[in-house]
Amino acid sequence: MTTTSQVIQQLLNSWTAQNKLVTAFFDKYEETAYFKEIAPGRNRPIYLLGHLIAVNDGMIPMFGLGERMFPQLEPLFIRTPDRSVEAIPSLSELKANWAKLNETLANYFANKDDAFWLDRHMNVSPEDFQKEPLRNKLNVLISRINHQSFHMGQLILLTV
Amino acid sequence: MTTTSQVIQQLLNSWTAQNKLVTAFFDKYEETAYFKEIAPGRNRPIYLLGHLIAVNDGMIPMFGLGERMFPQLEPLFIRTPDRSVEAIPSLSELKANWAKLNETLANYFANKDDAFWLDRHMNVSPEDFQKEPLRNKLNVLISRINHQSFHMGQLILLTV
C-alpha cells in the first residue's frame, strides 16, 4: 500500500463513519420526530435526509460511474427548500434509498486506485484540470464529508 | 511534489477554507448577535468560538509542537457547557485568540513533510501505533475539519 493509498483510505474511513452517524440518527427516534423542525423555521430532519441522499448521489455522475440512482430527489431536496413541495417520499422510502446509495457508493469506491481519486471529476474539463490539478475526485469526497458533518451538526439539535 | 503531499495539501486547503468561513461568520454581525442562542436552549456563538479555539489549540501538544497557546480556554469551553461559568473572555479577545491560533497553526503546518503527517500523534503510544497505523496526525486533522464543519452548520442557524 502506498502512502497515498493510505491517506485516501483514511478519507474513505471518515466518509463511512459519517454515514453511520447519519444512519444511527435516523434509527434513533419514532417516525414523527423526523417531521419536527431542528430549530424554529428551519429544516426538518426528513428534508435533510433527502438532501444528503440527493447531494451524495450526485457523486456517481461526477465520478463518471454512471447515472444518479435517485434523480427524482434532486428537484425535491436540492433545488427547492423544505416545505415548498406538497408530496415528498416517506421516511421509510428515504431510509431505504440512503442505505442503498451508501452500499452502492461503498462498492464503487472499494476497488478504485489512487489514479482514480487524483484524476479530474466530470464537472471540470481536461483543460481546466490542467490549470487546477486539485479539482480531482478526492476534493469532491472531502467536500461531501464536510457537507455531511455540517448537516449532522444541525440534526443533533433536534429536540424530541 | 509526491501524490501524498498533494493529498495532504488538499486537506490543509480544506482546513484553511473552514477557518475562513468561521472568521467570516464572526465578522458579519454586531457583537450582541453572538450572545444569542443558535436555537432555543442551545449554545451561543461566542461559546462555539471559544470551543473551536480550545479544540483546535489541542492540536499543538497532540502534534508534539509545544504547549497550548490558550490553556485557560480548555476548562471554560471543553470541560463545561455554555452558560455554566460566570465569566468568559470577551468576543474581541476570543476573535484575537482565534486569529492568532490560525496564524500559528498555519506556520507550523507550512513546512511539514509527509512523514510528519503520517506519524503517530502524541496521544497514541508507539506500541499502539504499530497496531493501528492510521492513528496518525492526518487523522486528527481530518477529524478537526469535520468538527469545525459540524459547528459551522449550527452557527449558520443563528437568527439575527
Side-chain angles (χ1 to χ4, degrees):
Chain A
M1 194 189 233
T2 66
T3 55
T4 304
S5 308
Q6 185 195 313
V7 174
I8 291 167
Q9 190 57 52
Q10 291 187 239
L11 283 164
L12 288 170
N13 291 351
S14 176
W15 167 252
T16 307
Q18 296 288 329
N19 287 345
K20 283 187 182 160
L21 288 176
V22 173
T23 303
F25 176 84
F26 284 96
D27 284 341
K28 195 171 171 185
Y29 304 116
E30 304 245 344
E31 178 158 352
T32 51
Y34 303 104
F35 292 83
K36 292 175 67 176
E37 296 166 335
I38 53 161
R42 301 301 183 172
N43 291 325
R44 297 170 300 162
I46 188 166
Y47 178 85
L48 288 173
L49 179 58
H51 177 68
L52 289 174
I53 300 166
V55 168
N56 292 350
D57 195 12
M59 280 195 283
I60 300 176
M62 271 185 98
F63 289 0
L65 297 167
E67 299 297 316
R68 281 177 172 271
M69 294 180 73
F70 309 109
Q72 72 280 11
L73 301 186
E74 200 187 359
L76 300 178
F77 296 108
I78 297 185
R79 292 204 291 266
T80 49
D82 194 10
R83 286 158 303 206
S84 59
V85 176
E86 287 282 322
I88 61 170
S90 69
L91 181 69
S92 61
E93 191 178 336
L94 288 175
K95 284 174 70 170
N97 294 165
W98 170 254
K100 188 70 192 155
L101 176 64
N102 285 339
E103 189 194 332
T104 304
L105 288 173
N107 286 337
Y108 275 134
F109 296 169
N111 304 308
K112 295 293 177 275
D113 59 14
D114 299 355
F116 171 83
W117 290 106
L118 298 178
D119 197 6
R120 72 182 175 96
H121 58 75
M122 299 306 121
N123 293 7
V124 62
S125 69
E127 295 73 34
D128 287 347
F129 186 60
Q130 274 214 313
K131 287 176 240 159
E132 300 173 272
L134 298 190
R135 296 181 67 183
N136 54 30
K137 298 187 188 81
L138 202 62
N139 231 34
V140 177
L141 183 70
I142 294 170
S143 145
R144 291 300 175 276
I145 295 172
N146 282 334
H147 177 255
Q148 204 150 305
S149 293
F150 183 92
H151 288 303
M152 195 65 229
Q154 299 175 335
L155 287 169
I156 65 121
L157 297 177
L158 183 71
T159 307
V160 180
Chain B
M1 193 187 230
T2 66
T3 56
T4 303
S5 308
Q6 184 195 312
V7 174
I8 291 168
Q9 190 56 53
Q10 292 188 237
L11 283 164
L12 288 170
N13 292 351
S14 175
W15 166 253
T16 307
Q18 295 288 329
N19 288 344
K20 284 187 181 159
L21 289 177
V22 173
T23 303
F25 177 83
F26 283 96
D27 285 341
K28 194 171 171 184
Y29 304 116
E30 304 244 345
E31 177 157 353
T32 50
Y34 303 105
F35 291 83
K36 292 174 68 175
E37 297 166 334
I38 52 162
R42 300 301 183 170
N43 291 325
R44 296 169 302 161
I46 189 166
Y47 177 85
L48 288 173
L49 179 58
H51 178 68
L52 289 174
I53 300 167
V55 168
N56 293 351
D57 196 13
M59 279 194 285
I60 299 177
M62 270 185 98
F63 290 179
L65 298 168
E67 299 297 317
R68 280 177 174 272
M69 296 181 71
F70 309 108
Q72 71 279 13
L73 301 186
E74 199 186 358
L76 300 178
F77 296 107
I78 297 185
R79 291 204 290 266
T80 50
D82 194 10
R83 287 157 303 205
S84 59
V85 175
E86 287 283 323
I88 60 168
S90 68
L91 181 69
S92 62
E93 191 178 336
L94 288 176
K95 284 174 70 170
N97 294 165
W98 170 254
K100 188 72 193 150
L101 176 65
N102 284 340
E103 188 193 333
T104 304
L105 289 174
N107 286 337
Y108 275 134
F109 295 170
N111 305 306
K112 297 292 177 278
D113 59 12
D114 299 355
F116 171 85
W117 289 107
L118 298 178
D119 197 6
R120 71 182 177 97
H121 59 75
M122 299 304 122
N123 293 7
V124 61
S125 69
E127 297 72 34
D128 287 346
F129 186 61
Q130 276 215 313
K131 286 177 243 158
E132 300 172 272
L134 297 190
R135 295 181 67 184
N136 55 29
K137 298 187 188 81
L138 202 63
N139 230 34
V140 177
L141 182 70
I142 293 169
S143 145
R144 291 299 175 276
I145 295 172
N146 282 334
H147 178 253
Q148 204 150 306
S149 293
F150 183 91
H151 288 302
M152 194 67 228
Q154 299 176 336
L155 286 169
I156 64 123
L157 296 178
L158 182 70
T159 307
V160 180

